Amino acid sequence: MTLKPVLAALDDDAAPLTHHQLRELYTLMAAVRHLDTAAVAWQRQGIIPGYAPELGQEAAQVGSGYAVDRARDFVFPTYREMGVARAMGVDMVGYMSTHKATWHGGMYNPLESRFAPIQAVVAGSVLHAVGWAHGQTLAGAQETGVAVTYFGDGASSQGDVHEAMNFASVMKAPVVFFIQNNGWAISVPTERQVAGGSVAARAAGYGIPSLQVDGNDVVAVFEATRSALAHCRSGNGPVVIEAMTYRRGPHSTADDPGRYRTLDEERLGAGEDPLERFKQRLLADGVADEAFIAEAQRKAAEEEETIRAGIADLGPRPGAEMFSLVFQEPTPALQSQATAWREESEHA
């Protein structure tokens, strides 16, 4: 069951992106590219201990994140959705605090930002998203919020994903399953771990409409996500989107992609750079000129420096925070430990 015919009526009233919005999308993609590249360098410099790059996935992340209604929807990310966070206006110093290991889940406010804490458990965010979405159904709110859960082609093979899709379909939970198929589950190519080669095709088994979209086309991703959100918001249940893209860099800063693919294979699989592709489209359509492109790049570099300074200024969090933020009802032993910790800190 494909998404396009199912959502044809909803798409009729969808306004095309304005020139201002198209330029804003490019500005966001440029900012994400600069920050992503810088974060890898920061790890090499010892500023942060680890990072999961998203080079080549800017269009998939910015396009989908830009479509989210931050007044009512809620996004459930993995550890690689920095571009979604930036598109949604999440405080990036707070976001990057997780990669600095300053605090688990980030120091931003999930309720205000509508961006859940970063999830490092593979496919863990899927279960959280379906639970939140089902809560929207039970609440019977007039302005239904939609959960958007991100995961990759590798995570799609986890049993949790199949259970979540089945539950969401049966309960008509308003959730968008957004798969970024970047071609690799760490070192394993998609064709070796996704039967049939398409994650979106699995949705039919659960009676869920799905769409496979060009994940390197930011406008196509935005339009697909907007349509999926409208479908869910109308009480029609979940939607699966598979954005076909490519992970141009390593799985993480601890990974060496040269061990499982050659540079020639990487160049062939990556195709056209999504940022350069969108730039050429804006120039050809007269939506932007070279001066705008240069200014967007300048602002991206300036923003990256500001975020770097903010990360460098982050000090260690008080260890006693774990007693108030991690444990809802601390055990007597933990309460005693917390008291001893506080007393020791006061006399230090």
Side-chain angles (χ1 to χ4, degrees), residues 251-288:
H251 171 76
S252 72
T253 48
D255 176 38
D256 176 12
R259 299 182 64 183
Y260 51 84
R261 70 186 187 197
T262 67
L263 285 175
D264 286 340
E265 289 173 331
E266 187 174 306
R267 293 189 187 101
L268 181 63
E272 189 177 1
D273 184 309
L275 187 61
E276 179 64 22
R277 174 179 172 177
F278 192 44
K279 167 189 167 182
Q280 295 303 327
R281 174 176 176 176
L282 295 182
L283 293 174
D285 293 345
V287 176

PDB file of all heavy atoms in Angstrom, residues 251-288:
ATOM      1  N   HIS A 251      30.259   5.238  10.475  1.00  0.00           N
ATOM      2  CA  HIS A 251      29.091   5.061  11.342  1.00  0.00           C
ATOM      3  C   HIS A 251      29.211   5.942  12.577  1.00  0.00           C
ATOM      4  O   HIS A 251      28.245   6.533  13.045  1.00  0.00           O
ATOM      5  CB  HIS A 251      28.969   3.598  11.754  1.00  0.00           C
ATOM      6  CG  HIS A 251      27.945   3.344  12.813  1.00  0.00           C
ATOM      7  ND1 HIS A 251      26.591   3.342  12.558  1.00  0.00           N
ATOM      8  CD2 HIS A 251      28.086   3.097  14.142  1.00  0.00           C
ATOM      9  CE1 HIS A 251      25.939   3.098  13.680  1.00  0.00           C
ATOM     10  NE2 HIS A 251      26.820   2.944  14.657  1.00  0.00           N
ATOM     11  N   SER A 252      30.410   6.018  13.104  1.00  0.00           N
ATOM     12  CA  SER A 252      30.709   6.878  14.239  1.00  0.00           C
ATOM     13  C   SER A 252      32.194   7.216  14.160  1.00  0.00           C
ATOM     14  O   SER A 252      32.923   6.697  13.305  1.00  0.00           O
ATOM     15  CB  SER A 252      30.395   6.183  15.570  1.00  0.00           C
ATOM     16  OG  SER A 252      31.354   5.166  15.831  1.00  0.00           O
ATOM     17  N   THR A 253      32.642   8.065  15.061  1.00  0.00           N
ATOM     18  CA  THR A 253      34.055   8.429  15.058  1.00  0.00           C
ATOM     19  C   THR A 253      34.938   7.277  15.526  1.00  0.00           C
ATOM     20  O   THR A 253      36.166   7.375  15.471  1.00  0.00           O
ATOM     21  CB  THR A 253      34.291   9.665  15.949  1.00  0.00           C
ATOM     22  OG1 THR A 253      33.636   9.481  17.215  1.00  0.00           O
ATOM     23  CG2 THR A 253      33.760  10.925  15.277  1.00  0.00           C
ATOM     24  N   ALA A 254      34.323   6.179  15.962  1.00  0.00           N
ATOM     25  CA  ALA A 254      35.089   4.993  16.346  1.00  0.00           C
ATOM     26  C   ALA A 254      35.157   3.978  15.204  1.00  0.00           C
ATOM     27  O   ALA A 254      35.746   2.912  15.351  1.00  0.00           O
ATOM     28  CB  ALA A 254      34.468   4.337  17.581  1.00  0.00           C
ATOM     29  N   ASP A 255      34.550   4.317  14.074  1.00  0.00           N
ATOM     30  CA  ASP A 255      34.436   3.389  12.946  1.00  0.00           C
ATOM     31  C   ASP A 255      35.439   3.742  11.851  1.00  0.00           C
ATOM     32  O   ASP A 255      35.750   4.924  11.628  1.00  0.00           O
ATOM     33  CB  ASP A 255      33.001   3.464  12.393  1.00  0.00           C
ATOM     34  CG  ASP A 255      32.801   2.613  11.159  1.00  0.00           C
ATOM     35  OD1 ASP A 255      33.365   1.517  11.098  1.00  0.00           O
ATOM     36  OD2 ASP A 255      32.069   3.061  10.249  1.00  0.00           O
ATOM     37  N   ASP A 256      35.905   2.739  11.148  1.00  0.00           N
ATOM     38  CA  ASP A 256      36.781   2.926   9.989  1.00  0.00           C
ATOM     39  C   ASP A 256      36.102   2.296   8.774  1.00  0.00           C
ATOM     40  O   ASP A 256      36.207   1.082   8.553  1.00  0.00           O
ATOM     41  CB  ASP A 256      38.147   2.273  10.233  1.00  0.00           C
ATOM     42  CG  ASP A 256      39.054   2.357   9.009  1.00  0.00           C
ATOM     43  OD1 ASP A 256      38.726   3.109   8.062  1.00  0.00           O
ATOM     44  OD2 ASP A 256      40.089   1.665   8.992  1.00  0.00           O
ATOM     45  N   PRO A 257      35.391   3.103   7.957  1.00  0.00           N
ATOM     46  CA  PRO A 257      34.671   2.530   6.814  1.00  0.00           C
ATOM     47  C   PRO A 257      35.585   1.920   5.765  1.00  0.00           C
ATOM     48  O   PRO A 257      35.146   1.130   4.928  1.00  0.00           O
ATOM     49  CB  PRO A 257      33.900   3.734   6.250  1.00  0.00           C
ATOM     50  CG  PRO A 257      34.643   4.931   6.721  1.00  0.00           C
ATOM     51  CD  PRO A 257      35.201   4.560   8.060  1.00  0.00           C
ATOM     52  N   GLY A 258      36.882   2.266   5.803  1.00  0.00           N
ATOM     53  CA  GLY A 258      37.820   1.685   4.867  1.00  0.00           C
ATOM     54  C   GLY A 258      37.999   0.185   5.045  1.00  0.00           C
ATOM     55  O   GLY A 258      38.540  -0.490   4.163  1.00  0.00           O
ATOM     56  N   ARG A 259      37.507  -0.347   6.150  1.00  0.00           N
ATOM     57  CA  ARG A 259      37.619  -1.785   6.408  1.00  0.00           C
ATOM     58  C   ARG A 259      36.536  -2.580   5.689  1.00  0.00           C
ATOM     59  O   ARG A 259      36.636  -3.798   5.564  1.00  0.00           O
ATOM     60  CB  ARG A 259      37.545  -2.066   7.916  1.00  0.00           C
ATOM     61  CG  ARG A 259      38.664  -1.413   8.720  1.00  0.00           C
ATOM     62  CD  ARG A 259      38.566  -1.755  10.192  1.00  0.00           C
ATOM     63  NE  ARG A 259      38.748  -3.191  10.422  1.00  0.00           N
ATOM     64  CZ  ARG A 259      38.653  -3.766  11.617  1.00  0.00           C
ATOM     65  NH1 ARG A 259      38.371  -3.024  12.684  1.00  0.00           N
ATOM     66  NH2 ARG A 259      38.839  -5.058  11.760  1.00  0.00           N
ATOM     67  N   TYR A 260      35.463  -1.912   5.234  1.00  0.00           N
ATOM     68  CA  TYR A 260      34.385  -2.657   4.589  1.00  0.00           C
ATOM     69  C   TYR A 260      33.898  -2.048   3.278  1.00  0.00           C
ATOM     70  O   TYR A 260      33.012  -2.597   2.631  1.00  0.00           O
ATOM     71  CB  TYR A 260      33.202  -2.833   5.552  1.00  0.00           C
ATOM     72  CG  TYR A 260      32.721  -1.561   6.221  1.00  0.00           C
ATOM     73  CD1 TYR A 260      31.826  -0.707   5.595  1.00  0.00           C
ATOM     74  CD2 TYR A 260      33.148  -1.232   7.511  1.00  0.00           C
ATOM     75  CE1 TYR A 260      31.375   0.450   6.216  1.00  0.00           C
ATOM     76  CE2 TYR A 260      32.712  -0.085   8.143  1.00  0.00           C
ATOM     77  CZ  TYR A 260      31.819   0.756   7.488  1.00  0.00           C
ATOM     78  OH  TYR A 260      31.370   1.907   8.112  1.00  0.00           O
ATOM     79  N   ARG A 261      34.448  -0.888   2.861  1.00  0.00           N
ATOM     80  CA  ARG A 261      34.122  -0.360   1.541  1.00  0.00           C
ATOM     81  C   ARG A 261      35.278   0.507   1.051  1.00  0.00           C
ATOM     82  O   ARG A 261      35.977   1.136   1.851  1.00  0.00           O
ATOM     83  CB  ARG A 261      32.814   0.446   1.569  1.00  0.00           C
ATOM     84  CG  ARG A 261      32.896   1.772   2.320  1.00  0.00           C
ATOM     85  CD  ARG A 261      31.528   2.427   2.436  1.00  0.00           C
ATOM     86  NE  ARG A 261      31.635   3.770   3.012  1.00  0.00           N
ATOM     87  CZ  ARG A 261      30.618   4.448   3.529  1.00  0.00           C
ATOM     88  NH1 ARG A 261      29.412   3.913   3.549  1.00  0.00           N
ATOM     89  NH2 ARG A 261      30.790   5.671   4.008  1.00  0.00           N
ATOM     90  N   THR A 262      35.459   0.531  -0.244  1.00  0.00           N
ATOM     91  CA  THR A 262      36.539   1.323  -0.824  1.00  0.00           C
ATOM     92  C   THR A 262      36.060   2.746  -1.081  1.00  0.00           C
ATOM     93  O   THR A 262      34.850   3.023  -1.083  1.00  0.00           O
ATOM     94  CB  THR A 262      37.009   0.716  -2.145  1.00  0.00           C
ATOM     95  OG1 THR A 262      35.946   0.826  -3.119  1.00  0.00           O
ATOM     96  CG2 THR A 262      37.395  -0.748  -1.979  1.00  0.00           C
ATOM     97  N   LEU A 263      36.994   3.652  -1.328  1.00  0.00           N
ATOM     98  CA  LEU A 263      36.622   5.027  -1.650  1.00  0.00           C
ATOM     99  C   LEU A 263      35.834   5.094  -2.949  1.00  0.00           C
ATOM    100  O   LEU A 263      34.910   5.895  -3.082  1.00  0.00           O
ATOM    101  CB  LEU A 263      37.878   5.900  -1.745  1.00  0.00           C
ATOM    102  CG  LEU A 263      38.544   6.272  -0.419  1.00  0.00           C
ATOM    103  CD1 LEU A 263      39.836   7.040  -0.669  1.00  0.00           C
ATOM    104  CD2 LEU A 263      37.594   7.108   0.446  1.00  0.00           C
ATOM    105  N   ASP A 264      36.184   4.249  -3.905  1.00  0.00           N
ATOM    106  CA  ASP A 264      35.442   4.223  -5.169  1.00  0.00           C
ATOM    107  C   ASP A 264      34.006   3.769  -4.931  1.00  0.00           C
ATOM    108  O   ASP A 264      33.061   4.337  -5.507  1.00  0.00           O
ATOM    109  CB  ASP A 264      36.124   3.281  -6.171  1.00  0.00           C
ATOM    110  CG  ASP A 264      37.399   3.877  -6.752  1.00  0.00           C
ATOM    111  OD1 ASP A 264      37.545   5.120  -6.679  1.00  0.00           O
ATOM    112  OD2 ASP A 264      38.232   3.108  -7.264  1.00  0.00           O
ATOM    113  N   GLU A 265      33.810   2.761  -4.091  1.00  0.00           N
ATOM    114  CA  GLU A 265      32.460   2.294  -3.761  1.00  0.00           C
ATOM    115  C   GLU A 265      31.678   3.391  -3.043  1.00  0.00           C
ATOM    116  O   GLU A 265      30.473   3.579  -3.279  1.00  0.00           O
ATOM    117  CB  GLU A 265      32.536   1.050  -2.882  1.00  0.00           C
ATOM    118  CG  GLU A 265      33.027  -0.192  -3.615  1.00  0.00           C
ATOM    119  CD  GLU A 265      33.249  -1.367  -2.679  1.00  0.00           C
ATOM    120  OE1 GLU A 265      33.565  -1.126  -1.484  1.00  0.00           O
ATOM    121  OE2 GLU A 265      33.119  -2.509  -3.127  1.00  0.00           O
ATOM    122  N   GLU A 266      32.355   4.113  -2.188  1.00  0.00           N
ATOM    123  CA  GLU A 266      31.708   5.192  -1.444  1.00  0.00           C
ATOM    124  C   GLU A 266      31.257   6.309  -2.385  1.00  0.00           C
ATOM    125  O   GLU A 266      30.137   6.809  -2.283  1.00  0.00           O
ATOM    126  CB  GLU A 266      32.665   5.736  -0.395  1.00  0.00           C
ATOM    127  CG  GLU A 266      32.057   6.752   0.542  1.00  0.00           C
ATOM    128  CD  GLU A 266      33.007   7.151   1.652  1.00  0.00           C
ATOM    129  OE1 GLU A 266      33.508   6.246   2.350  1.00  0.00           O
ATOM    130  OE2 GLU A 266      33.244   8.362   1.821  1.00  0.00           O
ATOM    131  N   ARG A 267      32.128   6.698  -3.300  1.00  0.00           N
ATOM    132  CA  ARG A 267      31.777   7.763  -4.249  1.00  0.00           C
ATOM    133  C   ARG A 267      30.625   7.329  -5.159  1.00  0.00           C
ATOM    134  O   ARG A 267      29.721   8.107  -5.450  1.00  0.00           O
ATOM    135  CB  ARG A 267      33.002   8.124  -5.092  1.00  0.00           C
ATOM    136  CG  ARG A 267      34.131   8.785  -4.308  1.00  0.00           C
ATOM    137  CD  ARG A 267      35.210   9.313  -5.240  1.00  0.00           C
ATOM    138  NE  ARG A 267      36.363   9.802  -4.503  1.00  0.00           N
ATOM    139  CZ  ARG A 267      37.491   9.112  -4.349  1.00  0.00           C
ATOM    140  NH1 ARG A 267      37.616   7.915  -4.903  1.00  0.00           N
ATOM    141  NH2 ARG A 267      38.496   9.623  -3.659  1.00  0.00           N
ATOM    142  N   LEU A 268      30.659   6.091  -5.609  1.00  0.00           N
ATOM    143  CA  LEU A 268      29.612   5.583  -6.494  1.00  0.00           C
ATOM    144  C   LEU A 268      28.273   5.512  -5.774  1.00  0.00           C
ATOM    145  O   LEU A 268      27.231   5.889  -6.308  1.00  0.00           O
ATOM    146  CB  LEU A 268      30.007   4.192  -7.014  1.00  0.00           C
ATOM    147  CG  LEU A 268      29.022   3.528  -7.987  1.00  0.00           C
ATOM    148  CD1 LEU A 268      28.912   4.359  -9.268  1.00  0.00           C
ATOM    149  CD2 LEU A 268      29.465   2.108  -8.311  1.00  0.00           C
ATOM    150  N   GLY A 269      28.286   5.035  -4.539  1.00  0.00           N
ATOM    151  CA  GLY A 269      27.043   4.891  -3.790  1.00  0.00           C
ATOM    152  C   GLY A 269      26.466   6.203  -3.306  1.00  0.00           C
ATOM    153  O   GLY A 269      25.245   6.358  -3.201  1.00  0.00           O
ATOM    154  N   ALA A 270      27.343   7.165  -3.022  1.00  0.00           N
ATOM    155  CA  ALA A 270      26.887   8.429  -2.446  1.00  0.00           C
ATOM    156  C   ALA A 270      26.103   9.276  -3.432  1.00  0.00           C
ATOM    157  O   ALA A 270      25.163   9.985  -3.061  1.00  0.00           O
ATOM    158  CB  ALA A 270      28.081   9.210  -1.913  1.00  0.00           C
ATOM    159  N   GLY A 271      26.477   9.244  -4.697  1.00  0.00           N
ATOM    160  CA  GLY A 271      25.776  10.062  -5.683  1.00  0.00           C
ATOM    161  C   GLY A 271      26.046  11.545  -5.480  1.00  0.00           C
ATOM    162  O   GLY A 271      27.077  11.945  -4.937  1.00  0.00           O
ATOM    163  N   GLU A 272      25.080  12.370  -5.890  1.00  0.00           N
ATOM    164  CA  GLU A 272      25.253  13.813  -5.814  1.00  0.00           C
ATOM    165  C   GLU A 272      25.072  14.315  -4.387  1.00  0.00           C
ATOM    166  O   GLU A 272      24.167  13.875  -3.667  1.00  0.00           O
ATOM    167  CB  GLU A 272      24.251  14.509  -6.739  1.00  0.00           C
ATOM    168  CG  GLU A 272      24.480  16.008  -6.898  1.00  0.00           C
ATOM    169  CD  GLU A 272      23.514  16.645  -7.878  1.00  0.00           C
ATOM    170  OE1 GLU A 272      22.650  15.926  -8.417  1.00  0.00           O
ATOM    171  OE2 GLU A 272      23.624  17.873  -8.103  1.00  0.00           O
ATOM    172  N   ASP A 273      25.922  15.236  -3.987  1.00  0.00           N
ATOM    173  CA  ASP A 273      25.847  15.838  -2.653  1.00  0.00           C
ATOM    174  C   ASP A 273      24.505  16.562  -2.498  1.00  0.00           C
ATOM    175  O   ASP A 273      24.163  17.414  -3.318  1.00  0.00           O
ATOM    176  CB  ASP A 273      27.007  16.825  -2.493  1.00  0.00           C
ATOM    177  CG  ASP A 273      27.078  17.435  -1.108  1.00  0.00           C
ATOM    178  OD1 ASP A 273      26.037  17.939  -0.628  1.00  0.00           O
ATOM    179  OD2 ASP A 273      28.157  17.427  -0.512  1.00  0.00           O
ATOM    180  N   PRO A 274      23.705  16.225  -1.454  1.00  0.00           N
ATOM    181  CA  PRO A 274      22.385  16.853  -1.301  1.00  0.00           C
ATOM    182  C   PRO A 274      22.444  18.370  -1.115  1.00  0.00           C
ATOM    183  O   PRO A 274      21.547  19.081  -1.570  1.00  0.00           O
ATOM    184  CB  PRO A 274      21.796  16.166  -0.070  1.00  0.00           C
ATOM    185  CG  PRO A 274      22.961  15.577   0.643  1.00  0.00           C
ATOM    186  CD  PRO A 274      23.961  15.229  -0.406  1.00  0.00           C
ATOM    187  N   LEU A 275      23.498  18.873  -0.479  1.00  0.00           N
ATOM    188  CA  LEU A 275      23.617  20.316  -0.275  1.00  0.00           C
ATOM    189  C   LEU A 275      23.924  21.021  -1.591  1.00  0.00           C
ATOM    190  O   LEU A 275      23.309  22.040  -1.929  1.00  0.00           O
ATOM    191  CB  LEU A 275      24.711  20.613   0.758  1.00  0.00           C
ATOM    192  CG  LEU A 275      24.856  22.073   1.201  1.00  0.00           C
ATOM    193  CD1 LEU A 275      23.582  22.577   1.857  1.00  0.00           C
ATOM    194  CD2 LEU A 275      26.030  22.216   2.173  1.00  0.00           C
ATOM    195  N   GLU A 276      24.860  20.478  -2.348  1.00  0.00           N
ATOM    196  CA  GLU A 276      25.208  21.056  -3.645  1.00  0.00           C
ATOM    197  C   GLU A 276      24.029  20.939  -4.610  1.00  0.00           C
ATOM    198  O   GLU A 276      23.752  21.864  -5.395  1.00  0.00           O
ATOM    199  CB  GLU A 276      26.435  20.341  -4.218  1.00  0.00           C
ATOM    200  CG  GLU A 276      26.880  20.829  -5.587  1.00  0.00           C
ATOM    201  CD  GLU A 276      27.354  22.274  -5.590  1.00  0.00           C
ATOM    202  OE1 GLU A 276      27.737  22.781  -4.512  1.00  0.00           O
ATOM    203  OE2 GLU A 276      27.356  22.887  -6.674  1.00  0.00           O
ATOM    204  N   ARG A 277      23.332  19.843  -4.555  1.00  0.00           N
ATOM    205  CA  ARG A 277      22.164  19.620  -5.415  1.00  0.00           C
ATOM    206  C   ARG A 277      21.089  20.680  -5.168  1.00  0.00           C
ATOM    207  O   ARG A 277      20.532  21.251  -6.112  1.00  0.00           O
ATOM    208  CB  ARG A 277      21.611  18.220  -5.131  1.00  0.00           C
ATOM    209  CG  ARG A 277      20.309  17.880  -5.823  1.00  0.00           C
ATOM    210  CD  ARG A 277      19.914  16.454  -5.467  1.00  0.00           C
ATOM    211  NE  ARG A 277      18.591  16.102  -5.941  1.00  0.00           N
ATOM    212  CZ  ARG A 277      18.045  14.899  -5.801  1.00  0.00           C
ATOM    213  NH1 ARG A 277      18.744  13.926  -5.229  1.00  0.00           N
ATOM    214  NH2 ARG A 277      16.830  14.652  -6.239  1.00  0.00           N
ATOM    215  N   PHE A 278      20.814  20.966  -3.907  1.00  0.00           N
ATOM    216  CA  PHE A 278      19.790  21.954  -3.581  1.00  0.00           C
ATOM    217  C   PHE A 278      20.262  23.363  -3.942  1.00  0.00           C
ATOM    218  O   PHE A 278      19.479  24.196  -4.409  1.00  0.00           O
ATOM    219  CB  PHE A 278      19.447  21.863  -2.094  1.00  0.00           C
ATOM    220  CG  PHE A 278      18.216  22.642  -1.711  1.00  0.00           C
ATOM    221  CD1 PHE A 278      17.069  22.614  -2.479  1.00  0.00           C
ATOM    222  CD2 PHE A 278      18.202  23.409  -0.544  1.00  0.00           C
ATOM    223  CE1 PHE A 278      15.923  23.318  -2.119  1.00  0.00           C
ATOM    224  CE2 PHE A 278      17.076  24.123  -0.173  1.00  0.00           C
ATOM    225  CZ  PHE A 278      15.938  24.080  -0.961  1.00  0.00           C
ATOM    226  N   LYS A 279      21.534  23.622  -3.742  1.00  0.00           N
ATOM    227  CA  LYS A 279      22.097  24.916  -4.117  1.00  0.00           C
ATOM    228  C   LYS A 279      21.901  25.177  -5.599  1.00  0.00           C
ATOM    229  O   LYS A 279      21.437  26.267  -5.996  1.00  0.00           O
ATOM    230  CB  LYS A 279      23.589  24.944  -3.775  1.00  0.00           C
ATOM    231  CG  LYS A 279      24.361  26.103  -4.392  1.00  0.00           C
ATOM    232  CD  LYS A 279      25.868  25.941  -4.190  1.00  0.00           C
ATOM    233  CE  LYS A 279      26.660  26.904  -5.049  1.00  0.00           C
ATOM    234  NZ  LYS A 279      28.129  26.705  -4.886  1.00  0.00           N
ATOM    235  N   GLN A 280      22.231  24.212  -6.433  1.00  0.00           N
ATOM    236  CA  GLN A 280      22.087  24.382  -7.878  1.00  0.00           C
ATOM    237  C   GLN A 280      20.626  24.573  -8.275  1.00  0.00           C
ATOM    238  O   GLN A 280      20.314  25.329  -9.203  1.00  0.00           O
ATOM    239  CB  GLN A 280      22.690  23.179  -8.611  1.00  0.00           C
ATOM    240  CG  GLN A 280      24.199  23.037  -8.440  1.00  0.00           C
ATOM    241  CD  GLN A 280      24.960  24.283  -8.903  1.00  0.00           C
ATOM    242  OE1 GLN A 280      24.558  24.981  -9.852  1.00  0.00           O
ATOM    243  NE2 GLN A 280      26.060  24.578  -8.215  1.00  0.00           N
ATOM    244  N   ARG A 281      19.735  23.919  -7.565  1.00  0.00           N
ATOM    245  CA  ARG A 281      18.300  24.082  -7.853  1.00  0.00           C
ATOM    246  C   ARG A 281      17.836  25.504  -7.530  1.00  0.00           C
ATOM    247  O   ARG A 281      17.110  26.113  -8.321  1.00  0.00           O
ATOM    248  CB  ARG A 281      17.496  23.067  -7.029  1.00  0.00           C
ATOM    249  CG  ARG A 281      15.992  23.240  -7.131  1.00  0.00           C
ATOM    250  CD  ARG A 281      15.270  22.148  -6.372  1.00  0.00           C
ATOM    251  NE  ARG A 281      13.824  22.345  -6.371  1.00  0.00           N
ATOM    252  CZ  ARG A 281      12.953  21.488  -5.842  1.00  0.00           C
ATOM    253  NH1 ARG A 281      13.384  20.372  -5.293  1.00  0.00           N
ATOM    254  NH2 ARG A 281      11.652  21.749  -5.876  1.00  0.00           N
ATOM    255  N   LEU A 282      18.262  26.019  -6.395  1.00  0.00           N
ATOM    256  CA  LEU A 282      17.874  27.380  -6.005  1.00  0.00           C
ATOM    257  C   LEU A 282      18.422  28.408  -6.985  1.00  0.00           C
ATOM    258  O   LEU A 282      17.728  29.361  -7.356  1.00  0.00           O
ATOM    259  CB  LEU A 282      18.376  27.683  -4.593  1.00  0.00           C
ATOM    260  CG  LEU A 282      17.781  26.860  -3.453  1.00  0.00           C
ATOM    261  CD1 LEU A 282      18.351  27.329  -2.121  1.00  0.00           C
ATOM    262  CD2 LEU A 282      16.262  26.958  -3.432  1.00  0.00           C
ATOM    263  N   LEU A 283      19.661  28.208  -7.414  1.00  0.00           N
ATOM    264  CA  LEU A 283      20.262  29.139  -8.364  1.00  0.00           C
ATOM    265  C   LEU A 283      19.563  29.068  -9.721  1.00  0.00           C
ATOM    266  O   LEU A 283      19.273  30.100 -10.347  1.00  0.00           O
ATOM    267  CB  LEU A 283      21.754  28.828  -8.529  1.00  0.00           C
ATOM    268  CG  LEU A 283      22.643  29.075  -7.305  1.00  0.00           C
ATOM    269  CD1 LEU A 283      24.064  28.574  -7.570  1.00  0.00           C
ATOM    270  CD2 LEU A 283      22.667  30.562  -6.939  1.00  0.00           C
ATOM    271  N   ALA A 284      19.284  27.868 -10.186  1.00  0.00           N
ATOM    272  CA  ALA A 284      18.641  27.688 -11.490  1.00  0.00           C
ATOM    273  C   ALA A 284      17.231  28.254 -11.520  1.00  0.00           C
ATOM    274  O   ALA A 284      16.781  28.797 -12.544  1.00  0.00           O
ATOM    275  CB  ALA A 284      18.620  26.200 -11.852  1.00  0.00           C
ATOM    276  N   ASP A 285      16.519  28.154 -10.383  1.00  0.00           N
ATOM    277  CA  ASP A 285      15.136  28.646 -10.311  1.00  0.00           C
ATOM    278  C   ASP A 285      15.049  30.121  -9.953  1.00  0.00           C
ATOM    279  O   ASP A 285      13.942  30.671  -9.850  1.00  0.00           O
ATOM    280  CB  ASP A 285      14.339  27.827  -9.295  1.00  0.00           C
ATOM    281  CG  ASP A 285      14.133  26.381  -9.737  1.00  0.00           C
ATOM    282  OD1 ASP A 285      14.350  26.096 -10.931  1.00  0.00           O
ATOM    283  OD2 ASP A 285      13.759  25.550  -8.886  1.00  0.00           O
ATOM    284  N   GLY A 286      16.188  30.759  -9.721  1.00  0.00           N
ATOM    285  CA  GLY A 286      16.189  32.166  -9.357  1.00  0.00           C
ATOM    286  C   GLY A 286      15.695  32.444  -7.951  1.00  0.00           C
ATOM    287  O   GLY A 286      15.332  33.579  -7.625  1.00  0.00           O
ATOM    288  N   VAL A 287      15.679  31.426  -7.113  1.00  0.00           N
ATOM    289  CA  VAL A 287      15.228  31.581  -5.730  1.00  0.00           C
ATOM    290  C   VAL A 287      16.318  32.220  -4.880  1.00  0.00           C
ATOM    291  O   VAL A 287      16.047  32.929  -3.909  1.00  0.00           O
ATOM    292  CB  VAL A 287      14.819  30.212  -5.142  1.00  0.00           C
ATOM    293  CG1 VAL A 287      14.442  30.340  -3.674  1.00  0.00           C
ATOM    294  CG2 VAL A 287      13.658  29.632  -5.943  1.00  0.00           C
ATOM    295  N   ALA A 288      17.564  31.975  -5.240  1.00  0.00           N
ATOM    296  CA  ALA A 288      18.703  32.523  -4.505  1.00  0.00           C
ATOM    297  C   ALA A 288      19.815  32.838  -5.501  1.00  0.00           C
ATOM    298  O   ALA A 288      19.823  32.352  -6.634  1.00  0.00           O
ATOM    299  CB  ALA A 288      19.191  31.522  -3.465  1.00  0.00           C
TER     300      ALA A 288
END
